């Protein structure tokens, strides 16, 4: 029998919470028979929702949270005044060892701040980052980080993201020797602002056992040129949403094009299985759920606007992270990498 | 009879130059019977290419340029040492009044630096910006700037881009009252770094007669939320290429999906006219050709990797800019706007 895990759920975060949260849990509960859920939020509403599904009822423990984080809350306000929120209590359950991970679709800023305060960062890591996986032309995957945790990043932050991204690609995504690129406006050494140039120089000259490719450009994300794309949270967030917006626009345009005449409708019908597969591969819900990488605890952020299908995927991400023992592996790797970085001699001797 | 114009062409810039340049001119020469071309580059090669097409020969004057800008040239090097390049001589033709615009597919950095030195910026404009038009879900268009001329921008630069973008959207794209958004990682006032927050504040509190929408996110580009999206050249360039890469990836995936079985192939055949229209609308060559906005002269940059179809479009953009008298209009509007900005009293009195 496989080990049993508990996942803490912030049931009040997200545009369609708590319904989409409970709907998401219902979708995954048969998939992961070894997981129980600690569900935080409005007790009466949650109990009513959970009770409707006998299969879910036996796996959920509802815990009342008298408050919830609001999307309009400033981060400092949430930290000070939302200590009894479903988000804060769910994070606390992980801190207290009652759960192995927390999943929330609530405000990114508040979630990051609360999780950082409760879990602290991994040794040697200054700031956590949000990674996400993108499908690529090569039918592989590219990991990009940071997607919005840090609006301003210096060279040292970018170097840490590169190291964490490398470990994540290797340990969680199973990439053999991940190649790392820094997102820039051109591939020449002299391009870009100081931070990216300095970070590239550090990675180029370092004795770290990582494969640094150099600079990559915006189109390299979808091209799958490297396994890990490193960028600051401002650029990363805008690139992520520009990509999502474009994919969405194209799908809508294509649907429109395929219904212009009877002939195209018949064509679309014949091509339906292929088109369905195509839509499915692009479905952003499939990519929902991003870890706060670099924290000493597993915190998965779901898109706020997602539905039950998307939330279920965020729970899947949490399970994958728990089962891969991601943080222990990152800690080991970071230890080794940091030692090598501060003491090149040791590498030479090893 | 319509007025005659001369366009100066840098025939040696771009990956497939000079063939694709001459091919591009051949495509547009019947479309614009009132345009002649001053073509700069390797005289013997160009003469040979031009002589093959009698219709083009009568419209082109080949001028020998003993040198060419190299993509690997640093900007400072190109400025100092490439004064006899096809790019420099073509720019000079505009400066000397021999041509109304210059089109080049050469290095962006060198082209911008040379054009800025030769043309200077419009009164009140500190730095020129590169705008481009994106198709949107609303079947309209969004103008985004800057797409790479300025890697680092302060709040004042962003405000100037907003003003120039507004005038361009109104005068060249024919948008009635263009709405302006600043690209950010969220729509709330407190989001983003200092530069975008400060720029938003200036635009919000200004007496400028422009419609400032507020912050927009990456997905708003394809959604067509505003008419003009303002951003720094680093973020803009990465967003542009991320969008291009995504569109490319989706088209390739869709093509792959549509050829998986006999049935889907028949479906694709039936839907062919609609699919063709769909591909055509997404063809990046249709959007090739970007003005350096804010210079006291018309300089159009073509994508370096484009072909004859794309280069022809860059020439079309130049024609459109010449015929709309874009710089005169921008100058008038800027004058008015700058006066209002420095002297709110005048607006109140007006």
């Amino acid at each position: 029998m496989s080990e049993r895990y508990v996942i803490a759920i912030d049931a009040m975060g997200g545009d369609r919470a708590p319904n989409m949260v409970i709907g998401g849990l219902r979708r995954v509960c048969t998939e992961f028979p070894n997981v129980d859920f600690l569900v935080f939020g409005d007790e009466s509403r949650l109990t009513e929702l959970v009770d409707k599904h006998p299969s879910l009822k036996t796996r959920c423990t509802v815990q009342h949270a008298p408050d919830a984080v609001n999307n309009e809350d400033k981060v400092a306000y949430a930290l000070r005044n939302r200590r009894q929120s479903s988000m804060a209590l769910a994070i606390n359950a992980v801190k207290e060892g009652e759960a192995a991970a927390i999943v929330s679709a609530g405000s990114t800023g508040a979630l990051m701040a609360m999780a950082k305060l409760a879990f602290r960062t991994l040794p040697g890591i200054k700031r956590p980052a949000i990674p996400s996986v993108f499908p690529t032309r090569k039918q592989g995957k590219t990991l990009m980080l940071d997607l919005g945790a840090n609006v301003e990043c210096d060279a040292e932050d970018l170097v840490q993201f590169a190291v964490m991204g490398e470990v994540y690609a290797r340990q969680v995504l199973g990439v053999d020797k991940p190649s790392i690129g820094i997102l820039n406006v051109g591939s020449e050494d002299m391009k870009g602002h100081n931070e990216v140039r300095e970070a590239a120089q550090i990675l180029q000259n370092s004795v770290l056992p990582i494969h640094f490719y150099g600079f990559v450009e915006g189109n390299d994300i979808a091209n799958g040129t490297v396994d890990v794309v490193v960028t600051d949270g401002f650029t990363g967030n805008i690139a992520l949403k520009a990509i999502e917006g474009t994919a969405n626009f194209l799908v809508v345009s294509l649907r429109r094009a395929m219904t212009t005449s009877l002939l195209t409708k018949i064509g679309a019908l014949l091509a339906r299985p292929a088109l369905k597969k195509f839509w499915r591969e692009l479905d952003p819900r499939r990519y929902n759920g991003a870890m706060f990488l670099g924290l000493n605890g597993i915190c998965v952020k779901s898109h706020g606007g997602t539905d039950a299908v998307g939330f279920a995927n965020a729970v899947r991400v949490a399970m994958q992270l728990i089962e891969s023992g991601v943080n222990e592996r990152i800690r080991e790797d970071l230890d080794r990498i940091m030692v090598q970085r501060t003491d090149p001699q040791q590498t030479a001797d090893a």
Side-chain angles (χ1 to χ4, degrees), chain A:
Chain A
M1 236 184 82
S2 63
E3 211 175 324
R4 289 206 75 78
Y5 300 105
V6 176
I7 297 182
I9 304 286
D10 166 14
M12 308 310 281
D15 301 347
R16 285 173 268 185
N19 297 47
M20 69 93 182
V21 172
I22 303 304
L25 297 182
R26 202 158 67 81
R27 284 180 163 265
V28 287
C29 73
T30 46
E31 200 174 314
F32 300 116
N34 60 329
V35 179
D36 293 310
F37 301 104
L38 259 181
V39 189
F40 292 85
D42 181 324
E43 191 169 14
S44 64
R45 283 178 75 187
L46 291 177
T47 307
E48 194 189 335
L49 285 168
V50 168
D51 281 357
K52 281 186 195 157
H53 312 291
S55 63
L56 189 60
K57 197 181 164 184
T58 57
R59 311 274 295 286
C60 284
T61 310
V62 172
Q63 301 226 349
H64 185 62
D67 198 6
V69 171
N70 196 304
N71 260 338
E72 278 71 50
D73 289 346
K74 295 207 176 185
V75 170
Y77 178 90
L79 272 182
R80 232 183 3 252
N81 300 298
R82 301 289 191 195
R83 295 187 192 178
Q84 293 303 306
S85 64
S86 53
M87 185 188 280
L89 296 180
I91 289 172
N92 205 47
V94 178
K95 191 184 173 188
E96 299 299 330
E98 295 161 25
I102 164 206
V103 181
S104 171
S107 146
T108 310
L111 185 64
M112 174 60 94
M114 284 182 181
K116 198 174 166 187
L117 196 68
F119 300 161
R120 304 283 163 185
T121 54
L122 289 171
I125 296 298
K126 217 169 65 185
R127 304 162 86 180
I130 303 177
S132 186
V133 161
F134 293 76
T136 74
R137 254 180 106 139
K138 290 188 177 165
Q139 303 187 281
K141 280 172 181 172
T142 289
L143 184 79
M144 180 156 83
L145 75 169
D146 170 36
L147 298 187
N150 310 281
V151 161
E152 276 168 296
C153 296
D154 59 23
E156 182 59 30
D157 293 328
L158 296 174
V159 170
Q160 293 201 346
F161 298 168
V163 172
M164 291 196 292
E166 201 267 351
V167 177
Y168 189 95
R170 200 151 30 81
Q171 301 287 14
V172 181
L173 306 179
V175 181
D176 190 17
K177 281 186 185 157
S179 53
I180 320 280
I182 294 182
L183 199 56
N184 198 352
V185 293
S187 51
E188 303 86 358
D189 284 354
M190 70 231 182
K191 288 267 175 118
H193 50 58
N194 287 339
E195 289 76 10
V196 292
R197 284 209 305 260
E198 205 183 312
Q201 219 157 29
I202 296 176
L203 288 171
Q204 220 124 39
N205 300 333
S206 86
V207 294
L208 299 182
I210 68 178
H211 170 30
F212 179 57
Y213 173 91
F215 290 133
V216 292
E217 301 188 59
N219 49 324
D220 291 307
I221 304 166
N223 285 347
T225 309
V226 291
D227 299 304
V228 181
V229 173
V230 172
T231 188
D232 64 274
F234 186 82
T235 315
N237 185 276
I238 286 170
L240 162 74
K241 287 180 181 160
I243 288 170
E244 285 178 352
T246 305
N248 225 300
F249 162 51
L250 294 196
V251 168
V252 169
S253 308
L254 182 62
R255 285 212 161 116
R256 200 185 283 147
M258 295 299 269
T259 49
T260 45
S261 73
L262 185 63
L263 224 57
T264 60
K265 280 183 196 164
I266 296 171
L269 204 67
L270 290 174
R272 205 184 139 102
L275 286 174
K276 263 183 103 168
K277 187 165 167 272
F278 176 72
W279 305 144
R280 206 167 46 233
E281 270 169 25
L282 291 179
D283 189 341
R285 298 176 302 182
R286 281 192 57 185
Y287 304 95
N288 187 41
M291 183 191 189
F292 289 162
L293 192 57
L295 287 183
N296 201 3
I298 298 173
C299 179
V300 173
K301 159 76 177 126
S302 157
H303 202 294
T306 199
D307 61 9
V309 174
F311 197 84
N313 202 65
V315 176
R316 259 178 224 119
V317 170
M319 265 314 283
Q320 200 185 355
L321 293 171
I322 295 170
E323 292 192 323
S324 69
V326 59
N327 274 342
E328 291 66 44
R329 308 228 165 171
I330 291 182
R331 208 179 291 120
E332 286 164 22
D333 275 23
L334 281 177
D335 273 356
R336 196 165 42 95
I337 283 173
M338 294 299 169
V339 168
Q340 291 189 342
R341 190 160 163 212
T342 48
D343 182 8
Q345 201 46 45
Q346 180 144 342
T347 328
D349 295 348

